[in-house]
Amino acid sequence: MTGAGAVVETAPAKLNLTLRVVGRRADGYHELESLVAFADCGDRLSAHPSGELTLEVTGPFAAALHDAGAGNLVLRAARLLAQAAGVGRGAVLTLDKRLPVAAGLGGGSADAAATLRLLQRLWSISLPEPGLQALAAELGADVPVCLLGRPALMRGVGERLEPLPALPPTWIVLANPGVALGTPEVFRARSGPFSAAAPLWATPPRTAAELAGCLRRSANDLEPAARALRPQIDVVLSALAREAGCLLARMSGSGASCFGLFATPEEAEAAVRRLKAAQPAWWVQATPLLTGA
Ligand code: C5P
């Protein structure tokens, strides 16, 4: 809902271009090293002033969101911010859910980060960056990187961020087979030794092909476990890899969404047309990578 006094934020889809699981903490959380970037598509959040705090969820994936109530990350982020900043006001929030839910695209985390940005504007407050990042980390492991919103190397359980120089112009095809997959389930199913953290490049890649070459030296360590839990992921990855111009096909986060990397919008859009024709039940989308330039 938009109108007088309304503010709007997008919540871009998060992509783990690489995801190495490098260890496990005593509390069960996993230590990661992940190259994270964002795609130019996502949920959309709007707010207008109100005394109360309310949330309405609309959009193609609204029905898939099981918790649109008090436990929803948007409302939790709003309450946490209000408390930290000593704000007594509320907001009428509308979340247009355009990304699939429990899909490895960080939808909920991106929504929480967008809430922190949006309500700072609506309430005319500006928390210092470290304080805001601490609130983000309290909301979930992926929320800090979503708040940063640019290509970054993510370490620790997600709270240690190293912003990266801009990535080269690249097109992304996102594909989800329409099966939800919970993150804790995938981490639980992961087995085998931990990966060693390793630098991806000495000099930053200048083209999409060079970026794909660097990414190929790494992997998403959650892919084997996710593929065993949801064999549909195999079908998505091989369908993407078969498309003309696909430089790399990989799963994002804990799945089941996968992405293909392309050098041109024409190749990415042609791939989307073919994939949609072959698999009408899949969610498939072509979008530029947000390079951070
Ligand atoms: O922090 P968030 O709620 O997004 O994490 C969801 C679940 O994913 C955690 O409960 C944990 O099981 C798993 N996780 C993990 N290591 C991370 C991030 C998430 O084990 N670095």
Side-chain angles (χ1 to χ4, degrees):
M1 188 189 306
T2 50
V7 287
V8 181
E9 280 278 338
T10 53
K14 171 222 67 171
L15 293 176
N16 299 92
L17 298 179
T18 67
L19 195 161
R20 290 300 205 188
V21 181
V22 300
R24 191 164 175 274
R25 295 196 321 199
D27 66 1
Y29 266 79
H30 292 78
E31 300 265 354
L32 309 176
E33 183 179 80
S34 178
L35 172 54
V36 178
F38 295 87
D40 195 8
C41 74
D43 296 339
R44 196 164 165 274
L45 189 69
S46 66
H48 64 258
S50 170
E52 304 289 309
L53 189 62
T54 61
L55 172 66
E56 186 194 0
V57 187
T58 62
F61 290 102
L65 200 63
H66 296 303
D67 191 357
N72 184 277
L73 268 176
V74 168
L75 287 177
R76 284 176 47 207
R79 284 195 302 268
L80 201 60
L81 180 68
Q83 197 182 18
V87 169
R89 279 164 287 161
V92 174
L93 292 158
T94 305
L95 174 64
D96 185 9
K97 197 79 200 145
R98 298 176 182 191
L99 294 176
V101 172
L105 297 174
S109 307
D111 296 342
T115 306
L116 296 177
R117 288 193 298 264
L118 183 77
L119 291 181
Q120 287 209 102
R121 285 165 55 207
L122 188 79
W123 293 337
S124 304
I125 52 174
S126 174
L127 288 194
E129 202 52 36
L132 204 59
Q133 280 291 350
L135 293 188
E138 230 177 285
L139 290 162
D142 277 345
V143 184
V145 77
C146 290
L147 191 63
L148 184 70
R150 61 160 295 115
L153 206 52
M154 181 175 100
R155 294 199 182 92
V157 300
E159 79 292 0
R160 279 169 46 211
L161 301 174
E162 182 188 321
L164 292 174
L167 297 176
T170 303
W171 277 74
I172 298 290
V173 172
L174 293 171
N176 181 285
V179 291
L181 188 50
T183 303
E185 194 187 351
V186 179
F187 274 105
R188 265 198 311 273
R190 194 210 70 88
S191 59
F194 295 116
S195 290
L200 271 179
W201 53 66
T203 52
R206 288 156 307 167
T207 64
E210 280 183 18
L211 173 63
C214 296
L215 299 180
R216 238 176 265 123
R217 285 184 224 128
S218 186
N220 180 340
D221 287 347
L222 295 179
E223 234 179 67
R227 290 164 78 157
L229 290 165
R230 299 285 187 277
Q232 296 94 327
I233 294 169
D234 286 332
V235 184
V236 178
L237 285 171
S238 28
L240 278 169
R242 271 197 306 270
E243 286 300 327
C246 183
L247 301 165
L248 174 93
R250 185 166 285 168
M251 189 183 87
S252 180
S254 54
S257 299
C258 300
F259 60 89
L261 237 62
F262 293 79
T264 70
E266 292 78 15
E267 288 167 324
E269 277 151 15
V272 167
R273 279 194 298 276
R274 281 190 295 266
L275 290 168
K276 277 188 171 164
Q279 299 282 358
W282 289 5
W283 176 82
V284 188
Q285 191 132 341
T287 167
L289 188 71
L290 293 173
T291 62

